[in-house]
Short mmCIF file of all heavy atoms in Angstrom, two decimals:
data_model
loop_
_atom_site.label_atom_id
_atom_site.label_comp_id
_atom_site.label_asym_id
_atom_site.label_seq_id
_atom_site.Cartn_x
_atom_site.Cartn_y
_atom_site.Cartn_z
N MET A 1 89.22 111.01 93.75
CA MET A 1 90.36 111.58 94.39
C MET A 1 91.24 110.49 94.89
O MET A 1 90.84 109.37 95.17
CB MET A 1 89.94 112.43 95.62
CG MET A 1 89.00 113.58 95.29
SD MET A 1 89.74 114.94 94.45
CE MET A 1 90.58 115.79 95.81
N ARG A 2 92.54 110.83 94.94
CA ARG A 2 93.58 109.83 95.38
C ARG A 2 94.18 110.29 96.72
O ARG A 2 94.46 111.47 96.87
CB ARG A 2 94.64 109.74 94.33
CG ARG A 2 95.72 108.72 94.61
CD ARG A 2 96.74 108.69 93.50
NE ARG A 2 96.19 108.19 92.28
CZ ARG A 2 96.27 106.90 91.89
NH1 ARG A 2 96.86 106.01 92.70
NH2 ARG A 2 95.73 106.51 90.79
N ILE A 3 94.35 109.30 97.62
CA ILE A 3 94.97 109.61 98.90
C ILE A 3 96.47 109.51 98.76
O ILE A 3 97.03 108.51 98.29
CB ILE A 3 94.50 108.63 100.03
CG1 ILE A 3 93.02 108.79 100.19
CG2 ILE A 3 95.27 108.95 101.32
CD1 ILE A 3 92.42 107.66 101.14
N ARG A 4 97.20 110.55 99.16
CA ARG A 4 98.67 110.59 99.13
C ARG A 4 99.16 110.62 100.58
O ARG A 4 98.51 111.22 101.46
CB ARG A 4 99.15 111.81 98.39
CG ARG A 4 98.65 111.99 97.01
CD ARG A 4 99.48 111.16 96.03
NE ARG A 4 99.07 111.44 94.69
CZ ARG A 4 99.40 110.68 93.66
NH1 ARG A 4 100.17 109.64 93.85
NH2 ARG A 4 99.00 110.95 92.43
N THR A 5 100.32 110.02 100.76
CA THR A 5 100.96 110.12 102.10
C THR A 5 102.41 110.56 101.96
O THR A 5 102.99 110.35 100.90
CB THR A 5 100.95 108.75 102.85
OG1 THR A 5 101.80 107.88 102.15
CG2 THR A 5 99.56 108.18 102.88
N ASP A 6 102.91 111.14 103.01
CA ASP A 6 104.32 111.46 103.06
C ASP A 6 104.91 110.67 104.24
O ASP A 6 104.80 111.13 105.38
CB ASP A 6 104.44 113.00 103.32
CG ASP A 6 105.95 113.40 103.40
OD1 ASP A 6 106.80 112.52 103.48
OD2 ASP A 6 106.20 114.62 103.38
N PRO A 7 105.45 109.50 103.96
CA PRO A 7 105.87 108.59 105.06
C PRO A 7 106.90 109.23 105.98
O PRO A 7 106.95 108.79 107.18
CB PRO A 7 106.50 107.41 104.31
CG PRO A 7 105.98 107.53 102.90
CD PRO A 7 105.70 108.94 102.64
N GLU A 8 107.64 110.17 105.57
CA GLU A 8 108.62 110.80 106.43
C GLU A 8 107.96 111.55 107.56
O GLU A 8 108.52 111.82 108.59
CB GLU A 8 109.47 111.79 105.61
CG GLU A 8 110.27 111.14 104.50
CD GLU A 8 111.41 110.29 105.05
OE1 GLU A 8 112.18 110.84 105.87
OE2 GLU A 8 111.56 109.17 104.62
N ARG A 9 106.70 111.99 107.31
CA ARG A 9 106.02 112.83 108.31
C ARG A 9 105.25 112.03 109.36
O ARG A 9 104.98 112.50 110.40
CB ARG A 9 105.04 113.77 107.65
CG ARG A 9 105.68 114.91 106.87
CD ARG A 9 104.61 115.66 106.07
NE ARG A 9 105.15 116.89 105.55
CZ ARG A 9 104.88 118.07 106.06
NH1 ARG A 9 104.13 118.23 107.09
NH2 ARG A 9 105.41 119.13 105.50
N CYS A 10 104.78 110.84 108.99
CA CYS A 10 103.89 110.06 109.78
C CYS A 10 104.54 109.68 111.15
O CYS A 10 105.66 109.12 111.12
CB CYS A 10 103.40 108.81 109.06
SG CYS A 10 102.20 107.86 110.00
N ILE A 11 103.85 109.98 112.22
CA ILE A 11 104.37 109.59 113.59
C ILE A 11 103.55 108.44 114.18
O ILE A 11 103.73 108.14 115.36
CB ILE A 11 104.39 110.79 114.50
CG1 ILE A 11 102.96 111.38 114.64
CG2 ILE A 11 105.32 111.88 113.98
CD1 ILE A 11 102.84 112.45 115.76
N GLY A 12 102.60 107.87 113.35
CA GLY A 12 101.85 106.77 113.90
C GLY A 12 100.82 107.14 114.91
O GLY A 12 100.50 106.35 115.83
N ALA A 13 100.36 108.40 114.88
CA ALA A 13 99.42 108.87 115.85
C ALA A 13 98.07 108.14 115.84
O ALA A 13 97.38 108.12 116.81
CB ALA A 13 99.18 110.39 115.68
N GLY A 14 97.75 107.58 114.70
CA GLY A 14 96.55 106.72 114.60
C GLY A 14 95.23 107.43 114.36
O GLY A 14 94.17 106.79 114.31
N ARG A 15 95.26 108.72 114.30
CA ARG A 15 94.01 109.44 114.11
C ARG A 15 93.31 109.11 112.79
O ARG A 15 92.07 109.05 112.69
CB ARG A 15 94.19 110.94 114.21
CG ARG A 15 94.75 111.28 115.56
CD ARG A 15 94.89 112.80 115.69
NE ARG A 15 93.66 113.46 115.68
CZ ARG A 15 93.16 114.15 116.73
NH1 ARG A 15 93.84 114.16 117.82
NH2 ARG A 15 92.01 114.72 116.61
N CYS A 16 94.06 108.80 111.75
CA CYS A 16 93.47 108.44 110.48
C CYS A 16 92.74 107.09 110.57
O CYS A 16 91.69 106.96 109.99
CB CYS A 16 94.53 108.42 109.40
SG CYS A 16 95.93 107.36 109.71
N PHE A 17 93.34 106.14 111.33
CA PHE A 17 92.61 104.86 111.46
C PHE A 17 91.32 105.00 112.21
O PHE A 17 90.33 104.34 111.87
CB PHE A 17 93.47 103.80 112.20
CG PHE A 17 94.93 103.92 112.07
CD1 PHE A 17 95.75 103.83 113.15
CD2 PHE A 17 95.44 104.02 110.78
CE1 PHE A 17 97.11 103.90 113.03
CE2 PHE A 17 96.84 104.10 110.71
CZ PHE A 17 97.65 104.03 111.75
N LEU A 18 91.27 105.92 113.18
CA LEU A 18 90.04 106.20 113.92
C LEU A 18 89.00 106.87 113.08
O LEU A 18 87.82 106.55 113.11
CB LEU A 18 90.36 106.97 115.18
CG LEU A 18 91.20 106.31 116.22
CD1 LEU A 18 91.58 107.24 117.33
CD2 LEU A 18 90.53 105.12 116.79
N ALA A 19 89.52 107.82 112.22
CA ALA A 19 88.55 108.56 111.41
C ALA A 19 87.97 107.75 110.28
O ALA A 19 86.79 107.89 109.93
CB ALA A 19 89.28 109.78 110.78
N ALA A 20 88.77 106.81 109.71
CA ALA A 20 88.33 106.08 108.55
C ALA A 20 89.04 104.72 108.49
O ALA A 20 89.90 104.50 107.69
CB ALA A 20 88.57 106.85 107.24
N PRO A 21 88.59 103.79 109.38
CA PRO A 21 89.25 102.49 109.42
C PRO A 21 89.12 101.70 108.15
O PRO A 21 89.90 100.73 107.92
CB PRO A 21 88.55 101.79 110.63
CG PRO A 21 87.31 102.52 110.85
CD PRO A 21 87.52 103.93 110.39
N GLU A 22 88.10 102.03 107.29
CA GLU A 22 87.96 101.34 106.05
C GLU A 22 89.04 101.80 104.96
O GLU A 22 89.21 101.11 103.97
CB GLU A 22 86.56 101.50 105.48
CG GLU A 22 86.25 102.90 104.98
CD GLU A 22 85.91 103.96 106.10
OE1 GLU A 22 86.14 103.64 107.29
OE2 GLU A 22 85.42 105.02 105.75
N LEU A 23 89.69 102.90 105.29
CA LEU A 23 90.66 103.43 104.34
C LEU A 23 92.12 103.30 104.77
O LEU A 23 93.00 103.34 103.93
CB LEU A 23 90.37 104.94 104.06
CG LEU A 23 88.98 105.28 103.54
CD1 LEU A 23 88.86 106.77 103.37
CD2 LEU A 23 88.75 104.57 102.17
N PHE A 24 92.30 103.19 106.09
CA PHE A 24 93.69 103.25 106.58
C PHE A 24 93.92 102.10 107.60
O PHE A 24 93.05 101.71 108.33
CB PHE A 24 93.94 104.58 107.35
CG PHE A 24 93.74 105.77 106.49
CD1 PHE A 24 92.53 106.49 106.56
CD2 PHE A 24 94.72 106.13 105.55
CE1 PHE A 24 92.32 107.58 105.77
CE2 PHE A 24 94.45 107.26 104.76
CZ PHE A 24 93.30 108.00 104.85
N ASP A 25 95.16 101.65 107.60
CA ASP A 25 95.57 100.62 108.59
C ASP A 25 96.97 101.10 109.10
O ASP A 25 97.47 102.14 108.67
CB ASP A 25 95.68 99.23 107.96
CG ASP A 25 95.65 98.14 108.98
OD1 ASP A 25 95.67 98.40 110.17
OD2 ASP A 25 95.70 96.97 108.54
N GLN A 26 97.50 100.35 110.03
CA GLN A 26 98.75 100.70 110.71
C GLN A 26 99.83 99.69 110.40
O GLN A 26 99.56 98.48 110.47
CB GLN A 26 98.52 100.78 112.23
CG GLN A 26 99.66 101.37 112.98
CD GLN A 26 99.24 101.72 114.38
OE1 GLN A 26 98.32 101.11 114.95
NE2 GLN A 26 99.93 102.65 114.98
N ASN A 27 100.97 100.12 109.99
CA ASN A 27 102.10 99.21 109.72
C ASN A 27 102.51 98.48 111.00
O ASN A 27 102.70 99.08 112.03
CB ASN A 27 103.28 100.10 109.18
CG ASN A 27 104.44 99.28 108.79
OD1 ASN A 27 104.93 98.43 109.49
ND2 ASN A 27 104.94 99.54 107.56
N ASP A 28 102.59 97.17 110.91
CA ASP A 28 102.86 96.35 112.09
C ASP A 28 104.28 96.62 112.61
O ASP A 28 104.53 96.43 113.79
CB ASP A 28 102.78 94.85 111.73
CG ASP A 28 101.35 94.40 111.55
OD1 ASP A 28 100.41 95.07 112.03
OD2 ASP A 28 101.15 93.37 110.86
N HIS A 29 105.15 97.09 111.82
CA HIS A 29 106.56 97.26 112.25
C HIS A 29 106.79 98.59 112.92
O HIS A 29 107.39 98.64 114.00
CB HIS A 29 107.48 97.10 111.03
CG HIS A 29 107.36 95.80 110.34
ND1 HIS A 29 107.77 94.61 110.99
CD2 HIS A 29 106.84 95.39 109.15
CE1 HIS A 29 107.57 93.56 110.20
NE2 HIS A 29 106.96 94.04 109.11
N ASP A 30 106.32 99.67 112.34
CA ASP A 30 106.68 100.98 112.91
C ASP A 30 105.41 101.82 113.22
O ASP A 30 105.61 102.97 113.68
CB ASP A 30 107.59 101.76 111.99
CG ASP A 30 107.03 102.02 110.61
OD1 ASP A 30 105.82 101.78 110.44
OD2 ASP A 30 107.73 102.48 109.70
N GLY A 31 104.24 101.26 113.02
CA GLY A 31 103.07 101.97 113.40
C GLY A 31 102.59 103.08 112.43
O GLY A 31 101.59 103.79 112.68
N THR A 32 103.32 103.24 111.35
CA THR A 32 102.93 104.33 110.39
C THR A 32 101.77 103.89 109.52
O THR A 32 101.38 102.68 109.47
CB THR A 32 104.13 104.71 109.49
OG1 THR A 32 104.58 103.49 108.83
CG2 THR A 32 105.29 105.30 110.32
N VAL A 33 101.18 104.86 108.88
CA VAL A 33 99.96 104.65 108.12
C VAL A 33 100.13 103.76 106.89
O VAL A 33 101.18 103.84 106.24
CB VAL A 33 99.32 105.99 107.70
CG1 VAL A 33 100.19 106.74 106.73
CG2 VAL A 33 97.93 105.78 107.14
N VAL A 34 99.16 102.90 106.66
CA VAL A 34 99.09 102.16 105.36
C VAL A 34 97.76 102.52 104.78
O VAL A 34 96.71 102.40 105.40
CB VAL A 34 99.13 100.64 105.67
CG1 VAL A 34 98.91 99.83 104.38
CG2 VAL A 34 100.42 100.22 106.35
N VAL A 35 97.78 102.98 103.57
CA VAL A 35 96.56 103.32 102.82
C VAL A 35 95.98 102.10 102.16
O VAL A 35 96.66 101.43 101.38
CB VAL A 35 96.83 104.43 101.72
CG1 VAL A 35 95.57 104.75 100.98
CG2 VAL A 35 97.39 105.68 102.43
N LEU A 36 94.75 101.72 102.53
CA LEU A 36 94.12 100.53 101.99
C LEU A 36 93.40 100.78 100.62
O LEU A 36 93.33 99.91 99.82
CB LEU A 36 93.10 99.99 103.02
CG LEU A 36 93.62 99.71 104.38
CD1 LEU A 36 92.48 99.28 105.33
CD2 LEU A 36 94.70 98.55 104.30
N VAL A 37 92.94 101.97 100.46
CA VAL A 37 92.16 102.29 99.26
C VAL A 37 92.70 103.64 98.77
O VAL A 37 92.50 104.71 99.42
CB VAL A 37 90.68 102.42 99.55
CG1 VAL A 37 89.86 102.72 98.28
CG2 VAL A 37 90.16 101.21 100.21
N ASP A 38 93.35 103.68 97.64
CA ASP A 38 93.95 105.04 97.32
C ASP A 38 93.01 105.86 96.44
O ASP A 38 93.15 107.11 96.36
CB ASP A 38 95.34 104.95 96.75
CG ASP A 38 95.44 104.28 95.40
OD1 ASP A 38 94.45 103.78 94.88
OD2 ASP A 38 96.56 104.24 94.87
N GLN A 39 92.07 105.24 95.73
CA GLN A 39 91.08 106.03 94.92
C GLN A 39 89.80 106.10 95.69
O GLN A 39 89.21 105.00 96.01
CB GLN A 39 90.85 105.33 93.57
CG GLN A 39 91.96 105.49 92.61
CD GLN A 39 91.99 106.88 91.92
OE1 GLN A 39 91.07 107.68 92.13
NE2 GLN A 39 93.05 107.18 91.19
N VAL A 40 89.36 107.26 96.09
CA VAL A 40 88.18 107.39 96.92
C VAL A 40 87.11 108.23 96.22
O VAL A 40 87.39 109.25 95.63
CB VAL A 40 88.50 107.90 98.32
CG1 VAL A 40 89.22 106.89 99.14
CG2 VAL A 40 89.27 109.19 98.25
N THR A 41 85.89 107.76 96.41
CA THR A 41 84.69 108.55 95.85
C THR A 41 83.56 108.42 96.86
O THR A 41 83.61 107.56 97.76
CB THR A 41 84.23 107.96 94.49
OG1 THR A 41 83.91 106.60 94.77
CG2 THR A 41 85.32 108.03 93.43
N GLY A 42 82.55 109.25 96.70
CA GLY A 42 81.32 109.15 97.44
C GLY A 42 81.53 109.21 98.93
O GLY A 42 82.28 110.05 99.43
N ASP A 43 80.97 108.26 99.68
CA ASP A 43 81.03 108.24 101.14
C ASP A 43 82.45 108.11 101.61
O ASP A 43 82.83 108.64 102.64
CB ASP A 43 80.16 107.13 101.71
CG ASP A 43 78.68 107.41 101.58
OD1 ASP A 43 78.32 108.53 101.27
OD2 ASP A 43 77.89 106.44 101.85
N ALA A 44 83.25 107.33 100.86
CA ALA A 44 84.65 107.13 101.30
C ALA A 44 85.40 108.46 101.26
O ALA A 44 86.30 108.65 102.07
CB ALA A 44 85.31 106.13 100.36
N LEU A 45 84.99 109.33 100.42
CA LEU A 45 85.71 110.65 100.33
C LEU A 45 85.46 111.42 101.63
O LEU A 45 86.34 112.16 102.10
CB LEU A 45 85.15 111.38 99.15
CG LEU A 45 85.93 112.62 98.67
CD1 LEU A 45 87.40 112.34 98.43
CD2 LEU A 45 85.29 113.08 97.36
N GLU A 46 84.31 111.28 102.27
CA GLU A 46 84.05 111.98 103.52
C GLU A 46 85.08 111.49 104.57
O GLU A 46 85.62 112.29 105.31
CB GLU A 46 82.63 111.67 104.02
CG GLU A 46 81.51 112.17 103.11
CD GLU A 46 81.32 113.68 103.28
OE1 GLU A 46 81.25 114.11 104.38
OE2 GLU A 46 81.31 114.35 102.24
N GLY A 47 85.21 110.16 104.64
CA GLY A 47 86.19 109.62 105.60
C GLY A 47 87.64 110.09 105.35
O GLY A 47 88.39 110.38 106.23
N ALA A 48 87.95 110.05 104.09
CA ALA A 48 89.29 110.51 103.70
C ALA A 48 89.53 111.98 104.06
O ALA A 48 90.60 112.32 104.57
CB ALA A 48 89.49 110.32 102.16
N ARG A 49 88.54 112.80 103.87
CA ARG A 49 88.70 114.23 104.24
C ARG A 49 88.86 114.41 105.74
O ARG A 49 89.63 115.20 106.22
CB ARG A 49 87.51 115.03 103.69
CG ARG A 49 87.56 115.23 102.19
CD ARG A 49 86.73 116.39 101.73
NE ARG A 49 86.96 116.68 100.34
CZ ARG A 49 86.14 116.53 99.35
NH1 ARG A 49 84.89 116.03 99.60
NH2 ARG A 49 86.47 116.77 98.10
N ALA A 50 88.07 113.59 106.44
CA ALA A 50 88.13 113.64 107.93
C ALA A 50 89.53 113.23 108.38
O ALA A 50 90.14 113.85 109.28
CB ALA A 50 87.09 112.76 108.56
N ALA A 51 90.08 112.21 107.78
CA ALA A 51 91.43 111.76 108.13
C ALA A 51 92.49 112.77 107.81
O ALA A 51 93.39 113.05 108.61
CB ALA A 51 91.72 110.43 107.46
N VAL A 52 92.40 113.39 106.65
CA VAL A 52 93.31 114.43 106.28
C VAL A 52 93.27 115.59 107.30
O VAL A 52 94.29 116.07 107.72
CB VAL A 52 92.98 114.97 104.85
CG1 VAL A 52 93.76 116.21 104.52
CG2 VAL A 52 93.31 113.86 103.79
N ASP A 53 92.07 115.96 107.65
CA ASP A 53 91.90 117.10 108.58
C ASP A 53 92.47 116.73 110.00
O ASP A 53 92.94 117.65 110.71
CB ASP A 53 90.46 117.50 108.73
CG ASP A 53 89.97 118.20 107.43
OD1 ASP A 53 90.79 118.61 106.61
OD2 ASP A 53 88.76 118.34 107.30
N ASP A 54 92.30 115.49 110.37
CA ASP A 54 92.69 115.07 111.76
C ASP A 54 94.13 114.78 111.88
O ASP A 54 94.64 114.72 113.06
CB ASP A 54 91.91 113.79 112.20
CG ASP A 54 90.50 114.15 112.67
OD1 ASP A 54 90.15 115.29 112.75
OD2 ASP A 54 89.80 113.22 112.99
N CYS A 55 94.85 114.49 110.84
CA CYS A 55 96.24 114.13 110.92
C CYS A 55 97.09 115.33 111.48
O CYS A 55 97.10 116.38 110.90
CB CYS A 55 96.81 113.73 109.57
SG CYS A 55 98.59 113.32 109.64
N PRO A 56 97.77 115.11 112.65
CA PRO A 56 98.43 116.16 113.27
C PRO A 56 99.79 116.57 112.56
O PRO A 56 100.28 117.67 112.84
CB PRO A 56 98.77 115.64 114.68
CG PRO A 56 98.83 114.17 114.50
CD PRO A 56 97.83 113.83 113.42
N THR A 57 100.24 115.75 111.67
CA THR A 57 101.51 116.06 111.01
C THR A 57 101.35 116.33 109.52
O THR A 57 102.35 116.46 108.78
CB THR A 57 102.51 114.86 111.15
OG1 THR A 57 101.90 113.71 110.57
CG2 THR A 57 102.81 114.62 112.62
N ARG A 58 100.13 116.48 109.04
CA ARG A 58 99.87 116.76 107.65
C ARG A 58 100.51 115.75 106.74
O ARG A 58 101.07 116.07 105.68
CB ARG A 58 100.26 118.17 107.30
CG ARG A 58 99.50 119.22 108.07
CD ARG A 58 99.59 120.58 107.45
NE ARG A 58 98.75 121.56 108.14
CZ ARG A 58 97.49 121.73 107.91
NH1 ARG A 58 96.85 121.03 107.01
NH2 ARG A 58 96.78 122.62 108.57
N THR A 59 100.48 114.48 107.15
CA THR A 59 101.02 113.41 106.33
C THR A 59 100.16 113.12 105.17
O THR A 59 100.62 112.73 104.11
CB THR A 59 101.14 112.12 107.20
OG1 THR A 59 102.02 112.37 108.27
CG2 THR A 59 101.56 110.92 106.41
N LEU A 60 98.83 113.30 105.35
CA LEU A 60 97.87 112.91 104.30
C LEU A 60 97.37 114.08 103.47
O LEU A 60 97.29 115.19 103.97
CB LEU A 60 96.64 112.28 104.99
CG LEU A 60 96.97 111.06 105.92
CD1 LEU A 60 95.71 110.68 106.66
CD2 LEU A 60 97.50 109.93 105.17
N SER A 61 97.12 113.77 102.23
CA SER A 61 96.50 114.77 101.33
C SER A 61 95.66 114.05 100.29
O SER A 61 95.82 112.84 100.07
CB SER A 61 97.63 115.62 100.68
OG SER A 61 98.49 114.78 99.93
N LEU A 62 94.78 114.83 99.62
CA LEU A 62 93.98 114.32 98.55
C LEU A 62 94.35 115.06 97.27
O LEU A 62 94.45 116.30 97.30
CB LEU A 62 92.51 114.55 98.87
CG LEU A 62 91.88 113.66 99.96
CD1 LEU A 62 90.53 114.17 100.42
CD2 LEU A 62 91.75 112.20 99.41
N THR A 63 94.47 114.30 96.22
CA THR A 63 94.75 114.93 94.93
C THR A 63 93.79 114.40 93.88
O THR A 63 93.21 113.35 94.01
CB THR A 63 96.24 114.59 94.48
OG1 THR A 63 96.36 113.18 94.32
CG2 THR A 63 97.25 115.16 95.44
N GLU A 64 93.64 115.13 92.79
CA GLU A 64 92.80 114.69 91.68
C GLU A 64 93.43 113.53 91.04
O GLU A 64 94.67 113.38 91.01
CB GLU A 64 92.70 115.86 90.66
CG GLU A 64 91.97 117.06 91.15
CD GLU A 64 90.43 116.90 91.33
OE1 GLU A 64 89.95 115.94 90.77
OE2 GLU A 64 89.88 117.65 92.09
N GLY A 65 92.61 112.68 90.49
CA GLY A 65 93.19 111.55 89.64
C GLY A 65 93.22 110.25 90.37
O GLY A 65 92.84 110.08 91.47
S1 SF4 B 1 96.98 110.49 111.62
FE1 SF4 B 1 98.72 111.18 110.40
S2 SF4 B 1 100.48 110.88 111.70
FE2 SF4 B 1 98.86 109.70 112.55
S3 SF4 B 1 99.06 107.62 111.67
FE3 SF4 B 1 97.67 108.76 110.44
S4 SF4 B 1 98.91 109.57 108.81
FE4 SF4 B 1 100.25 109.02 110.46
#
């Protein structure tokens, strides 16, 4: 699965970094999400799903491919 973001929606709430720090970081300039690993499988997929579910603005999504 691939992690997608919609940068227009991200408010830098940081919940994704807390849910999966191995997958997400924070932009130093505006605090918005930076995806560190866009193809996720196995255990990483669990973290990605948790981050998608926790994001208050629905910035994150998972797609096939
Ligand atoms: S949880 Fe959502 S709104 Fe918050 S930083 Fe992550 S992607 Fe952006």
